Amino acid sequence: MKTLIIVTHPSLETSVINKSWVEELKKHPEKYTIHELYKVYPDGNIDVEKEQKLVESHGSLIFQFPVYWFNCPPLLKKWMDDVLTYGWAYGSTGDSLKNRKIAFAVSTGIKNEDYDENGRYKYTLEEVLVPFKATALYCEADYRSFFAFYGAEYKPCTSEVEKSVKDYFNFVENI
């Protein structure tokens, strides 16, 4: 089954990192479905049934987004609130995500060293992303960790972008 990549970036067209990742994955439509939430739902009105069927028609699931205020963009939070319903994603009859491989791919504006107990923000990125891991585990999914690019706001050079694309593609391939 194909992997569903749920991309939630409010300005993907101006992104360097997330846009590069999407462009690489779009070269392989037989393996990946790229689902851009801000393109599909610019008004924020999510078609829950359509989204649930989309998830059900795929194997693995990857959420790709920039870290916003140490969280995800608001549309992804809304998507999770609306789509991951009792009886579908969790609960006594909610098994749609059970054993499904789920991973996260994030870009951060700040540097890796800032995400450290001794760094500027006192928390690692892994700690910041705990609610996403907990959500996957709550739904009994097969949580597969996360991939991160650090320092996007520092205008990465071409070689850094190219390396991130290669590393991201390898991450996705191994989910």
Side-chain angles (χ1 to χ4, degrees), residues 24-146:
E24 181 63 28
L25 294 178
K26 282 184 175 179
K27 294 176 184 176
H28 307 278
E30 72 286 356
K31 292 182 178 182
Y32 309 111
T33 299
I34 309 300
H35 186 50
E36 298 176 42
L37 290 184
Y38 278 97
K39 185 184 277 185
V40 176
Y41 300 111
D43 60 1
N45 293 320
I46 295 170
D47 183 335
V48 173
E49 186 176 326
K50 178 182 170 186
E51 293 300 304
Q52 290 174 340
K53 286 181 181 178
L54 182 64
V55 170
E56 290 168 355
S57 70
H58 287 79
S60 301
L61 181 59
I62 298 174
F63 293 93
Q64 178 186 321
F65 57 92
V67 174
Y68 262 47
W69 291 109
F70 308 96
N71 207 321
C72 64
L75 188 57
L76 180 55
K77 175 63 169 107
K78 182 173 181 2
W79 186 95
M80 289 180 167
D81 288 345
D82 291 357
V83 176
L84 303 182
T85 58
Y86 177 84
W88 184 80
Y90 67 96
S92 60
T93 60
D95 63 357
S96 294
L97 299 180
K98 188 173 186 174
N99 299 321
R100 185 181 306 267
K101 294 177 183 174
I102 293 181
F104 297 88
V106 301
S107 60
T108 72
I110 58 179
K111 296 178 181 176
N112 189 1
E113 57 266 20
D114 290 329
Y115 283 106
D116 185 85
E117 66 181 38
N118 298 312
R120 183 173 177 194
Y121 301 107
K122 308 298 183 205
Y123 293 97
T124 65
L125 185 57
E126 184 172 5
E127 291 171 317
V128 169
L129 296 175
V130 162
F132 301 99
K133 178 180 181 179
T135 297
L137 296 174
Y138 188 73
C139 295
E140 298 183 60
D142 180 3
Y143 175 71
R144 307 297 279 196
S145 193
F146 68 92

Side-chain angles (χ1 to χ4, degrees), residues 12 15-25 161 164-165:
L12 188 61
S15 167
V16 173
I17 299 301
N18 282 270
K19 182 179 176 183
S20 297
W21 293 350
V22 167
E23 288 172 354
E24 181 63 28
L25 294 178
V161 174
S164 81
V165 169

Side-chain angles (χ1 to χ4, degrees), residues 145-158:
S145 193
F146 68 92
F147 175 82
F149 180 88
Y150 296 88
E153 73 182 38
Y154 295 96
K155 305 208 188 289
C157 66
T158 302

